[in-house]
Amino acid sequence: MANKDPLMITDKDEMRKWSRSMRAQGKTIGLVPTMGYLHEGHLSLIQESHKQTHLTVVSIYVNPGQFSPTEDLSTYPSDLLGDIQKLKSVPGGVDVVFNPKNLYDYGNNDNGCGVGLDQEGGKVVSCVETGGMGHETWVRVERLEKDLCGKSRPVFFRGVATIVTKLFNIVEPDVAVFGKKDYQQWRIIKRMVRDLDFGIKVIGTELARDDDGLAKSSRNARLSPDDRQKALSISKSLFKAKFAAENGQNDCQELRNAVIQAIHEAGGKIDYAEIVDQESLEKLGEINRPAVFCVAAWFGNVRLIDNIEINVQCASSF
Ligand code: AMP
């Protein structure tokens, strides 16, 4: 049976008012930030929030601040009505859907949707940089944001850390739940919360996959059936790498070569395939501590990411 309709809030002041009134009644609040087009991966985050808090807020907001003007902001899939149906189907439902129109509109006729500065300065900018009275405050997690996805998407994590900060300040949650599907993002948010003393507990949940192994992603909807099949090379080669590592292959170059070759042979274009320390995200030469193998690759015009944690008993840990 479907659960009750969630309360729909689009205004940030109304959102904050709701949270404060609930907290005044002794309720704890969990926040699950999303960009919508929800799938079971997102729903597993909500179930985790239910375990942690009395109430759950799901934000649905495609954040222009984390896209550069050349990226896929305009084709990012959305289906608000479908999302609400899915949220009603989660055991326990959700209490609020926070679906703001534009979190960069400060009411000064500069609604933060221009793409001006890159033409002038030649520097990489996000889709909200317009100069004038526009948004200009950014949160950066300087070292963790640099490599992996940060290399080919230089404004991405700055935009993510900033929008998550804004959502934290608007919703004022006790707990925030993120997926380890976006491993680097999860680490960055945890570090930001530690470094800036947000009073919020950050939880990371396990990556949810389709039955055949493909990491669930809103962007999968844009894969052709043929590319979807080819994209299975990512998860298959990652599973093999984990198996090899757990059976004694600790040379990261060898492990990386096998994954790169498998994805390449399937017709994918590698953005990166790196084995890094689980916490610092520093590249490893050999697997001698808890590691995570992170991959980003293009199939057609869709960029997919995936990762797998590798926890082997290492001689140095005895
Ligand atoms: P997105 O809507 O893609 O920004 O994702 C919102 C949240 O859902 C992020 O914390 C993601 O890491 C998480 N998420 C997305 N896909 C998955 C997945 N397949 N498994 C677990 N979490 C996911």
Side-chain angles (χ1 to χ4, degrees):
M1 203 182 71
N3 292 287
K4 63 180 175 6
D5 282 336
L7 180 63
M8 296 295 299
I9 299 182
T10 55
D11 179 74
K12 60 183 176 182
D13 294 326
E14 196 188 323
M15 183 67 247
R16 193 181 280 116
K17 214 164 128 190
W18 180 89
S19 288
R20 289 189 177 176
S21 77
M22 291 301 143
R23 285 165 68 110
Q25 295 169 40
K27 306 281 191 209
T28 52
I29 298 171
L31 170 66
V32 180
T34 81
M35 298 209 300
Y37 213 75
L38 303 179
H39 51 68
E40 282 164 33
H42 296 111
L43 304 187
S44 68
L45 272 57
I46 292 162
Q47 284 174 296
E48 182 60 35
S49 173
H50 285 333
K51 285 187 208 153
Q52 303 278 336
T53 56
H54 298 114
L55 301 167
T56 293
V57 176
V58 174
S59 62
I60 297 182
Y61 181 62
V62 181
N63 170 33
Q66 70 195 55
F67 289 80
S68 78
T70 55
E71 291 177 341
D72 61 348
L73 174 63
S74 61
T75 57
Y76 199 85
S78 76
D79 174 19
L80 185 60
L81 291 179
D83 287 347
I84 292 166
Q85 288 311 316
K86 287 177 193 153
L87 293 173
K88 281 170 67 176
S89 75
V90 184
V94 306
D95 298 282
V96 171
V97 172
F98 179 48
N99 180 222
K101 191 158 177 276
N102 180 359
L103 285 178
Y104 299 91
D105 180 358
Y106 303 108
N108 53 19
N109 295 326
D110 186 342
N111 70 0
C113 283
V115 288
L117 289 180
D118 60 331
Q119 305 304 330
E120 293 166 22
K123 66 180 181 121
V124 187
V125 298
S126 76
C127 288
V128 300
E129 284 175 70
T130 54
M133 293 297 286
H135 182 96
E136 62 169 317
T137 306
W138 300 101
V139 181
R140 303 208 76 138
V141 182
E142 294 195 342
R143 194 180 45 75
L144 282 179
E145 72 166 35
K146 278 211 168 72
D147 274 332
L148 304 175
C149 286
K151 220 171 196 168
S152 60
R153 305 190 69 189
V155 298
F156 177 61
F157 288 117
R158 179 188 80 162
V160 168
T162 302
I163 199 68
V164 170
T165 298
K166 283 161 78 72
L167 289 169
F168 283 178
N169 284 332
I170 294 167
V171 178
E172 300 182 344
D174 299 276
V175 171
V177 188
F178 293 84
K180 288 205 255 174
K181 150 94 175 1
D182 298 85
Y183 204 91
Q184 187 177 14
Q185 168 174 289
W186 169 59
R187 281 296 180 200
I188 283 174
I189 300 301
K190 274 181 87 70
R191 189 66 59 95
M192 176 187 89
V193 161
R194 185 201 73 176
D195 291 354
L196 298 183
D197 296 306
F198 284 94
I200 296 171
K201 181 175 167 193
V202 176
I203 310 267
T205 63
E206 296 310 315
L207 193 160
R209 299 181 180 279
D210 287 339
D211 288 343
D212 58 9
L214 189 70
K216 286 183 187 287
S217 165
S218 306
R219 287 188 170 95
N220 292 351
R222 290 179 32 227
L223 286 169
S224 70
D226 188 39
D227 281 334
R228 192 194 173 287
Q229 200 56 31
K230 292 175 177 168
L232 291 175
S233 57
I234 304 177
S235 52
K236 280 192 178 143
S237 61
L238 281 178
F239 292 139
K240 274 191 192 157
K242 181 179 168 77
F243 182 81
E246 286 171 353
N247 286 280
Q249 174 57 279
N250 67 358
D251 183 328
C252 292
Q253 192 59 49
E254 294 284 330
L255 293 163
R256 290 177 60 230
N257 287 346
V259 166
I260 290 168
Q261 191 182 344
I263 294 173
H264 182 71
E265 282 174 4
K269 206 173 115 228
I270 297 273
D271 180 352
Y272 64 78
E274 299 288 355
I275 300 175
V276 297
D277 178 273
Q278 279 181 16
E279 187 153 357
S280 70
L281 304 184
E282 278 162 5
K283 287 178 193 160
L284 300 180
E286 69 178 83
I287 298 190
N288 53 10
R289 60 191 118 147
V292 55
F293 198 152
C294 298
V295 169
W298 290 86
F299 282 85
N301 60 357
V302 184
R303 183 176 176 278
L304 300 174
I305 59 171
D306 198 344
N307 69 76
I308 203 154
E309 286 180 327
I310 301 175
N311 297 299
V312 292
Q313 197 81 24
C314 302
S316 57
S317 66
F318 289 116

